[in-house]
């Protein structure tokens, strides 16, 4: 098959085509695995972290992509959950040990043996992929392939982040950064917590306008003061300034949830602006989000189908994965980006 391969780490400011289209052998499902014919694969900011070496793949080459929608076209020995022809999705969780303290308690996202799709194992920037069948999820019929793909990471991790805020209906929520995940959180909150007002901090006026279009009561720049203090804020940005700026907008006892696998170090000096009384005192908290548990994906898919929550998305052919990644790097964003297979 012809897949998009990451052969080595790359600096995207100079290397504009980090992925190479190349012929690789078709994958064969091992015991307990299924073979998927990929229909769509979402493009995630985490791919940039892999390419630029902040969370590098343990070996090269690797096929990236961890928001995969496909049809089951083959099954390995002892794989019996799905039938040939079923439409399934795969997210960031590729495998975990299944026996550690975390796995036994539904926190497989924290498993020390956690393996990620498209980083530790080949992912969905390809016409075919294999996956352990217990890491695949049936896709509700209400979604098209391209609608479903961004739900598998942007949506599922947004769901996990929202849960970690501990917010209740009527409390005020902030979102700093307004990409694929945040726009799905906004849609989710409007249905789950109808009395919760949402405040969005975004760099570009285009993103601010998009947030208001989707129902945010207020949208401003990263460093702005919101008109009122917020009970929780979710940060989906790759940098540090929004973290510090968000803390000053938190209500006493409020919590900032950082939904990012890695932060870039370009503006790390901003952390020196952290002022204890302004940003941390009054029992404010910071919590990170790590990976995604299988239950996040299955619960979110159910919820998204019931509401329904559908992402805004732009499609690209598989061959144009590099262009999609560059646009993401350059923050040319409106909703999610999805690679669509022919
Ligand atoms: Zn992702
Ligand atoms: Zn484990």
């Amino acid at each position: 098959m012809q897949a998009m391969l990451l052969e080595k780490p790359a600096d995207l400011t100079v290397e504009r085509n980090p992925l190479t289209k190349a012929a690789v052998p078709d994958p064969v499902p091992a015991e307990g695995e299924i073979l998927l014919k990929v229909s769509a694969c979402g493009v995630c900011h985490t791919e940039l972290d892999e390419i630029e070496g902040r969370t590098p793949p343990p070996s090269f080459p690797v096929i990236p992509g961890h928001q995969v929608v496909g049809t089951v076209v083959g099954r390995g020995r002892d794989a019996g959950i799905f039938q040939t022809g079923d439409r399934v999705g795969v997210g960031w969780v590729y495998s975990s040990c299944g026996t550690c303290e975390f796995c036994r308690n539904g926190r497989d996202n924290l498993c020390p043996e956690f393996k990620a799709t498209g980083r530790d194992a080949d992912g969905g920037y390809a016409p075919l992929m294999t996956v352990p069948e217990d890491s695949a999820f049936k896709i509700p019929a209400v979604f098209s392939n391209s609608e479903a793909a961004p739900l598998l990471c942007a949506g599922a991790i947004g769901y996990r982040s929202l849960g970690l805020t501990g917010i209740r209906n009527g409390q005020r929520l902030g979102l700093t950064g307004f990409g694929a995940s945040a726009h799905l959180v906004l849609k989710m909150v409007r249905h789950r917590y109808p009395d919760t007002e949402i405040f969005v901090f975004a760099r570009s006026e285009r993103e601010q306008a998009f947030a208001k279009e989707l129902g945010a009561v207020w949208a401003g720049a990263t460093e702005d003061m919101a008109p009122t203090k917020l009970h929780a804020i979710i940060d989906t940005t790759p940098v540090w300034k929004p973290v510090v700026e968000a803390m000053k907008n938190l209500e006493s006892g409020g919590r900032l949830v950082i939904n990012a696998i890695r932060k870039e170090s370009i503006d790390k000096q901003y952390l020196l602006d952290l002022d204890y009384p302004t940003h941390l005192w009054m029992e404010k908290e910071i919590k990170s989000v790590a990976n995604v548990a299988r239950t996040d994906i299955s619960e979110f898919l159910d919820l998204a189908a019931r509401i329904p929550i559908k992402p805004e998305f732009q499609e690209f052919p598989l061959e144009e994965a590099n262009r999609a990644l560059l646009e993401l790097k350059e923050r040319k964003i409106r909703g999610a980006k999805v690679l669509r297979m022919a």
Side-chain angles (χ1 to χ4, degrees):
M1 64 175 180
Q2 292 282 326
M4 296 303 287
L5 291 185
L6 177 61
E7 298 183 296
K8 55 179 191 313
D11 176 353
L12 282 169
T13 55
V14 288
E15 173 55 77
R16 313 297 279 174
N17 293 296
L19 306 185
T20 324
K21 189 176 176 186
V24 294
D26 287 1
V28 176
E31 186 175 345
E33 291 183 349
I34 49 177
L35 175 68
L36 304 184
K37 180 178 186 294
V38 179
S39 311
C41 183
V43 177
C44 179
H45 195 277
T46 300
E47 268 98 75
L48 302 180
D49 295 317
E50 293 175 25
I51 293 166
E52 295 183 316
R54 287 179 295 277
T55 180
S59 65
F60 294 94
V62 68
I63 301 170
H66 58 266
Q67 307 185 85
V68 191
V69 177
T71 308
V72 177
V73 291
R75 296 187 294 173
R77 201 157 50 83
D78 292 337
I81 300 175
F82 298 104
Q83 303 300 313
T84 302
D86 283 351
R87 188 172 68 139
V88 301
V90 184
W92 179 242
V93 48
Y94 185 86
S95 66
S96 58
C97 81
T99 55
C100 73
E101 173 197 342
F102 300 108
C103 284
R104 282 185 280 113
N105 292 294
R107 301 173 86 193
D108 35 326
N109 60 309
L110 302 181
C111 175
E113 303 290 316
F114 184 96
K115 290 200 167 36
T117 312
R119 184 190 63 188
D120 308 315
D122 284 337
Y125 283 31
L128 295 168
M129 77 169 273
T130 53
V131 68
E133 63 172 354
D134 62 356
S135 297
F137 303 86
K138 197 133 191 188
I139 298 291
V142 64
F143 301 118
S144 70
N145 296 327
S146 293
E147 284 170 343
L151 303 178
L152 291 157
C153 180
I157 197 151
Y159 175 82
R160 182 168 192 86
S161 308
L162 184 62
L164 292 177
T165 63
I167 204 160
R168 295 189 304 274
N169 187 31
Q171 292 190 315
R172 295 178 296 279
L173 178 70
L175 302 171
T176 184
F178 200 66
S181 187
H183 100 286
L184 286 166
V185 169
L186 194 156
K187 289 183 178 220
M188 193 175 0
V189 169
R190 293 198 64 210
H191 289 87
R192 263 187 121 184
Y193 306 119
D195 304 321
T196 284
E197 292 180 325
I198 301 163
F199 300 75
V200 170
F201 305 87
R203 263 197 338 188
S204 81
E205 283 179 15
R206 214 159 28 121
E207 286 170 336
Q208 293 168 19
F210 184 41
K212 283 200 234 166
E213 219 177 281
L214 295 182
V217 296
W218 176 91
T222 309
E223 60 276 13
D224 283 355
M225 281 303 285
T228 176
K229 299 276 184 183
L230 310 174
H231 296 98
I233 300 177
I234 299 172
D235 164 43
T236 51
T237 70
V239 287
W240 290 106
K241 176 180 172 182
V243 169
V244 176
E245 298 293 351
M247 294 307 285
K248 74 179 185 213
N249 278 299
L250 276 185
E251 184 58 278
S252 298
R255 182 181 288 173
L256 174 73
V257 172
I258 301 180
N259 170 0
I261 185 164
R262 292 292 183 273
K263 286 285 191 185
E264 295 178 17
S265 39
I266 38 170
D267 70 340
K268 211 169 180 177
Q269 81 293 342
Y270 215 93
L271 287 171
L272 295 174
D273 293 347
L274 201 67
D275 174 57
Y276 184 71
T278 311
H279 299 112
L280 277 168
W281 195 53
M282 295 304 277
E283 305 192 347
K284 296 180 186 181
E285 291 176 75
I286 302 180
K287 191 173 181 78
S288 67
V289 184
N291 303 318
V292 70
R294 288 176 179 82
T295 50
D296 295 318
I297 301 178
S298 56
E299 289 172 13
F300 178 68
L301 285 175
D302 282 353
L303 177 73
R306 267 185 284 126
I307 290 176
I309 296 172
K310 295 194 174 183
E312 317 285 319
F313 62 87
Q314 297 167 276
E315 291 181 327
F316 298 76
L318 176 61
E319 295 69 29
E320 291 185 26
N322 285 315
R323 185 165 67 85
L325 288 163
L326 273 183
E327 285 190 11
L328 195 58
K329 173 80 180 169
E330 288 160 3
R331 309 282 307 160
K332 292 178 190 151
I333 301 170
R334 185 186 164 92
K337 296 183 194 297
V338 178
L339 305 175
R340 187 174 173 168
M341 313 306 148

